[in-house]
Amino acid sequence: FNAEEKDLLESISALKSAVTVLSKHHGDSLLQVPRSHMLSVAATLQYQLRRHASLLQGSLTPSERRVAAAFVQAPQDYF
């Protein structure tokens, strides 16, 4: 459990860093992010959601899971 938790926390930290870098380079909007970057974010999110599904089950509401799943399926719809 501790190893999984550590890995999950590292993944969260990496995603936070990615959001910080993207927001610094793109101001208040992610509209200018290249499509390849958005697809990469969606793929990373999908991977982390699957990898840590049991840990996230109690953390994400059904609504949040639906939003994440929708973003993974069509990231371009959000920007």
Side-chain angles (χ1 to χ4, degrees), residues 2 4 7 16 18-19 21 27 31 39 41 46 53-54 61:
N2 289 337
E4 265 188 65
D7 189 45
K16 284 182 181 179
V19 170
V21 169
L31 291 174
L39 295 177
V41 170
Q46 181 179 33
S54 61
T61 66

Side-chain angles (χ1 to χ4, degrees), residues 2-79:
N2 289 337
E4 265 188 65
E5 181 182 31
K6 180 181 176 188
D7 189 45
L8 180 59
L9 292 173
E10 288 173 356
S11 297
I12 291 169
S13 178
L15 289 171
K16 284 182 181 179
S17 296
V19 170
T20 300
V21 169
L22 287 172
S23 64
K24 285 182 181 178
H25 288 283
H26 298 287
D28 295 332
S29 172
L30 292 177
L31 291 174
Q32 299 173 358
V33 173
R35 183 170 197 251
S36 62
H37 287 30
M38 294 312 307
L39 295 177
S40 177
V41 170
T44 300
L45 177 62
Q46 181 179 33
Y47 172 77
Q48 295 301 332
L49 288 172
R50 285 184 180 166
R51 183 174 182 189
H52 303 291
S54 61
L55 291 173
L56 293 171
Q57 193 169 23
S59 300
L60 296 176
T61 66
S63 175
E64 290 168 334
R65 275 188 244 127
R66 283 191 299 274
V67 169
F71 173 73
V72 165
Q73 292 298 315
Q76 69 278 359
D77 290 351
Y78 289 80
F79 300 97

